[in-house]
Amino acid sequence: NFEETADAIEYRQAAFGLIAYNFGDMGAMLKGKKPFDAAVFSARADNVAALSKIPHEGFIAGSDKGDTEALAKIWQDKADFDSKMTAFQDNAAALAVAAKTTDENNIKQAFTNTGKSCKGCHDVYKKD
Ligand code: ASC
Protein backbone atom coordinates (compact mmCIF):
# COMPACT_ATOMS: atom_id res chain seq x y z
CA ASN A 1 0.00 0.00 0.00
CA PHE A 2 1.06 3.56 -0.60
CA GLU A 3 2.54 5.60 2.24
CA GLU A 4 1.20 8.88 0.88
CA THR A 5 -1.15 10.06 -1.84
CA ALA A 6 1.88 11.50 -3.67
CA ASP A 7 3.23 7.95 -4.05
CA ALA A 8 -0.05 6.72 -5.53
CA ILE A 9 -0.10 9.66 -7.96
CA GLU A 10 3.49 8.98 -9.02
CA TYR A 11 2.75 5.28 -9.47
CA ARG A 12 -0.22 5.75 -11.79
CA GLN A 13 1.46 8.59 -13.73
CA ALA A 14 4.52 6.40 -14.36
CA ALA A 15 2.28 3.72 -15.86
CA PHE A 16 0.31 6.22 -17.96
CA GLY A 17 3.58 7.64 -19.31
CA LEU A 18 4.71 4.19 -20.43
CA ILE A 19 1.30 3.47 -21.91
CA ALA A 20 1.35 6.76 -23.86
CA TYR A 21 4.83 6.03 -25.23
CA ASN A 22 3.95 2.52 -26.38
CA PHE A 23 0.51 3.44 -27.72
CA GLY A 24 1.87 6.54 -29.43
CA ASP A 25 4.48 4.50 -31.29
CA MET A 26 1.78 2.08 -32.45
CA GLY A 27 -0.23 5.04 -33.72
CA ALA A 28 2.79 6.37 -35.61
CA MET A 29 3.07 3.02 -37.39
CA LEU A 30 -0.63 2.82 -38.23
CA LYS A 31 -0.65 6.40 -39.50
CA GLY A 32 2.36 5.79 -41.75
CA LYS A 33 4.63 8.13 -39.82
CA LYS A 34 7.10 5.27 -39.58
CA PRO A 35 7.29 1.83 -41.20
CA PHE A 36 4.96 -0.82 -39.82
CA ASP A 37 6.97 -3.48 -37.99
CA ALA A 38 4.62 -6.29 -36.91
CA ALA A 39 6.96 -7.66 -34.24
CA VAL A 40 7.51 -4.26 -32.65
CA PHE A 41 3.82 -3.41 -32.93
CA SER A 42 2.85 -6.66 -31.21
CA ALA A 43 5.44 -6.19 -28.45
CA ARG A 44 4.09 -2.68 -27.82
CA ALA A 45 0.52 -3.98 -27.76
CA ASP A 46 1.60 -6.58 -25.17
CA ASN A 47 3.20 -3.78 -23.14
CA VAL A 48 0.02 -1.68 -23.24
CA ALA A 49 -2.14 -4.67 -22.26
CA ALA A 50 0.10 -5.40 -19.26
CA LEU A 51 0.48 -1.74 -18.30
CA SER A 52 -3.27 -1.14 -18.53
CA LYS A 53 -3.65 -3.13 -15.29
CA ILE A 54 -1.31 -0.87 -13.35
CA PRO A 55 -2.87 2.61 -12.94
CA HIS A 56 -6.14 1.65 -11.26
CA GLU A 57 -4.44 0.74 -7.98
CA GLY A 58 -3.03 4.26 -7.78
CA PHE A 59 -6.44 5.94 -7.69
CA ILE A 60 -6.70 5.83 -3.90
CA ALA A 61 -9.11 8.00 -1.93
CA GLY A 62 -7.87 11.56 -1.50
CA SER A 63 -5.45 11.41 -4.41
CA ASP A 64 -7.29 14.09 -6.35
CA LYS A 65 -5.27 16.42 -4.09
CA GLY A 66 -1.71 16.91 -5.28
CA ASP A 67 0.30 17.12 -8.48
CA THR A 68 -2.34 15.41 -10.60
CA GLU A 69 -4.78 16.00 -13.43
CA ALA A 70 -7.24 13.53 -11.91
CA LEU A 71 -10.60 15.14 -11.13
CA ALA A 72 -12.47 14.61 -7.85
CA LYS A 73 -15.33 13.30 -9.99
CA ILE A 74 -13.45 9.97 -10.18
CA TRP A 75 -14.25 9.29 -6.53
CA GLN A 76 -17.79 10.65 -6.81
CA ASP A 77 -18.57 8.29 -9.70
CA LYS A 78 -16.15 5.53 -8.73
CA ALA A 79 -18.22 2.65 -10.14
CA ASP A 80 -18.37 4.34 -13.54
CA PHE A 81 -14.67 5.13 -13.41
CA ASP A 82 -13.88 1.52 -12.49
CA SER A 83 -15.96 0.19 -15.37
CA LYS A 84 -14.26 2.56 -17.83
CA MET A 85 -10.88 1.36 -16.58
CA THR A 86 -11.97 -2.26 -17.04
CA ALA A 87 -13.20 -1.48 -20.57
CA PHE A 88 -9.79 0.02 -21.35
CA GLN A 89 -8.06 -3.13 -20.06
CA ASP A 90 -10.37 -5.33 -22.14
CA ASN A 91 -9.76 -3.23 -25.27
CA ALA A 92 -6.00 -3.31 -24.70
CA ALA A 93 -6.09 -7.11 -24.29
CA ALA A 94 -8.08 -7.43 -27.54
CA LEU A 95 -5.55 -5.18 -29.29
CA ALA A 96 -2.70 -7.44 -28.13
CA VAL A 97 -4.55 -10.43 -29.61
CA ALA A 98 -5.29 -8.60 -32.88
CA ALA A 99 -1.64 -7.53 -33.15
CA LYS A 100 -0.62 -11.18 -33.45
CA THR A 101 -2.67 -11.54 -36.64
CA THR A 102 -2.13 -10.05 -40.10
CA ASP A 103 -5.69 -8.71 -40.33
CA GLU A 104 -4.97 -5.02 -40.82
CA ASN A 105 -8.59 -3.89 -40.53
CA ASN A 106 -8.98 -5.81 -37.30
CA ILE A 107 -5.76 -4.36 -35.90
CA LYS A 108 -6.81 -0.82 -36.80
CA GLN A 109 -10.28 -1.32 -35.31
CA ALA A 110 -8.80 -2.70 -32.08
CA PHE A 111 -6.39 0.24 -31.92
CA THR A 112 -9.25 2.70 -32.45
CA ASN A 113 -11.32 1.01 -29.74
CA THR A 114 -8.43 1.28 -27.29
CA GLY A 115 -7.83 4.95 -28.12
CA LYS A 116 -11.52 5.63 -27.54
CA SER A 117 -11.19 4.05 -24.10
CA CYS A 118 -8.32 6.44 -23.31
CA LYS A 119 -10.16 9.49 -24.57
CA GLY A 120 -13.54 8.49 -23.13
CA CYS A 121 -12.10 8.44 -19.63
CA HIS A 122 -9.93 11.55 -20.08
CA ASP A 123 -12.91 13.59 -21.33
CA VAL A 124 -14.79 12.97 -18.09
CA TYR A 125 -12.16 12.41 -15.41
CA LYS A 126 -9.03 14.34 -16.42
CA LYS A 127 -8.31 18.07 -16.26
CA ASP A 128 -7.95 19.77 -19.65
C1 ASC B 1 -2.56 8.63 -26.99
C2 ASC B 1 -2.55 9.37 -25.79
C3 ASC B 1 -3.82 9.46 -25.34
C4 ASC B 1 -4.71 8.72 -26.25
C5 ASC B 1 -5.87 9.50 -26.77
C6 ASC B 1 -6.63 8.64 -27.74
O1 ASC B 1 -1.60 8.32 -27.68
O2 ASC B 1 -1.50 9.90 -25.18
O3 ASC B 1 -4.24 10.06 -24.27
O4 ASC B 1 -3.86 8.26 -27.30
O5 ASC B 1 -5.42 10.65 -27.40
O6 ASC B 1 -7.68 9.37 -28.31
Side-chain angles (χ1 to χ4, degrees):
N1 289 6
F2 301 108
E3 296 277 329
E4 299 176 39
T5 54
D7 298 332
I9 290 167
E10 193 178 344
Y11 182 82
R12 70 198 189 213
Q13 287 178 348
F16 282 132
L18 295 169
I19 290 166
Y21 182 84
N22 281 273
F23 195 69
D25 195 59
M26 293 166 74
M29 284 188 226
L30 290 183
K31 284 164 199 145
K33 289 179 183 159
K34 63 189 292 185
F36 186 81
D37 182 325
V40 173
F41 189 91
S42 177
R44 295 215 177 285
D46 286 343
N47 288 345
V48 172
L51 289 162
S52 71
K53 313 270 183 148
I54 301 285
H56 186 262
E57 188 184 355
F59 286 92
I60 61 170
S63 64
D64 56 316
K65 310 275 189 306
D67 188 8
T68 177
E69 295 173 284
L71 295 173
K73 187 173 166 61
I74 290 169
W75 292 274
Q76 288 151 16
D77 298 336
K78 195 60 169 46
D80 179 67
F81 176 80
D82 291 349
S83 77
K84 282 182 164 62
M85 191 64 96
T86 300
F88 164 54
Q89 292 164 355
D90 291 347
N91 282 138
L95 176 55
V97 172
K100 285 167 185 49
T101 74
T102 53
D103 184 341
E104 193 181 324
N105 287 334
N106 194 39
I107 291 169
K108 283 187 170 160
Q109 186 59 58
F111 181 85
T112 299
N113 291 344
T114 305
K116 281 184 180 166
S117 300
C118 302
K119 185 172 173 0
C121 206
H122 293 169
D123 285 351
V124 188
Y125 295 116
K126 189 181 176 215
K127 269 175 219 165
D128 294 326

